[in-house]
């Protein structure tokens, strides 16, 4: 199971990568929207987590582009801010608030990938 983690915070990338690899996932990381699109096409991940606020291409734009290419891929929006009422994130399969406790993220991944 391959997961693409997209976030501009290097600490979040490291934390998610380390924790998810310990759980047996193959993890690919991107710290820019441009890199995320490249890896999305090249690596063909099974699931994606997207930060909403990114310096080059925001997560909502990335969500649309990824869903245009692969409509069935599960995408989890991950942010430190509350966007639940923003209809733009509704195209994603899940929405989580970033936390050092990754239980919610891990449970969401399992639920979306039927693992």
């Amino acid at each position: 199971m391959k997961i693409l983690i997209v976030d501009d915070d290097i600490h979040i990338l490291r934390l998610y990568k380390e924790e998810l690899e310990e759980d047996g996932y193959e993890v690919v990381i991107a710290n820019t929207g441009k890199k995320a699109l490249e890896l999305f096409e090249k690596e063909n991940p099974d699931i994606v987590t997207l930060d909403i606020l990114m310096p080059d291409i925001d997560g909502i734009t990335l969500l649309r582009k990824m869903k245009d290419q692969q409509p069935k891929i599960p995408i989890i929006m991950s942010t430190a801010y509350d966007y639940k009422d923003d209809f733009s994130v509704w195209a994603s399969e899940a929405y989580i608030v970033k936390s050092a406790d990754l239980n919610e993220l891990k449970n969401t991944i399992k639920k979306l990938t039927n693992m």
Side-chain angles (χ1 to χ4, degrees):
M1 175 76 51
K2 188 183 294 187
I3 302 173
L4 172 59
I5 307 290
V6 183
D7 202 297
D8 61 330
D9 183 332
I10 192 69
H11 303 294
I12 293 288
L13 289 175
R14 286 182 186 153
L15 174 66
Y16 283 20
K17 182 173 175 56
E18 185 177 304
E19 288 270 334
L20 293 170
E21 284 180 342
E22 281 180 16
D23 286 356
Y25 296 103
E26 181 180 347
V27 179
V28 180
I29 58 172
N31 64 351
T32 67
K34 183 177 184 230
K35 184 71 173 172
L37 286 174
E38 289 172 14
L39 290 172
F40 184 75
E41 293 171 6
K42 179 183 168 198
E43 297 287 339
N44 196 26
D46 299 295
I47 190 166
V48 178
T49 70
L50 281 179
D51 184 15
I52 292 179
L53 295 178
M54 300 279 291
D56 60 342
I57 305 171
D58 67 90
I60 292 171
T61 300
L62 287 171
L63 170 66
R64 289 185 188 124
K65 290 182 179 205
M66 289 176 177
K67 285 293 189 178
D68 282 346
Q69 290 179 30
Q70 294 187 42
K72 295 189 186 293
I73 191 163
I75 297 180
I76 301 168
M77 300 307 290
S78 171
T79 185
Y81 307 98
D82 187 359
Y83 282 86
K84 285 183 197 167
D85 294 331
D86 184 337
F87 75 92
S88 301
V89 302
W90 294 359
S92 67
E93 281 65 34
Y95 173 95
I96 63 165
V97 176
K98 289 181 193 175
S99 169
D101 178 358
L102 297 187
N103 284 327
E104 182 182 9
L105 175 62
K106 290 177 180 184
N107 290 335
T108 302
I109 291 169
K110 285 178 186 172
K111 184 175 86 176
L112 293 175
T113 58
N114 298 314
M115 290 186 66

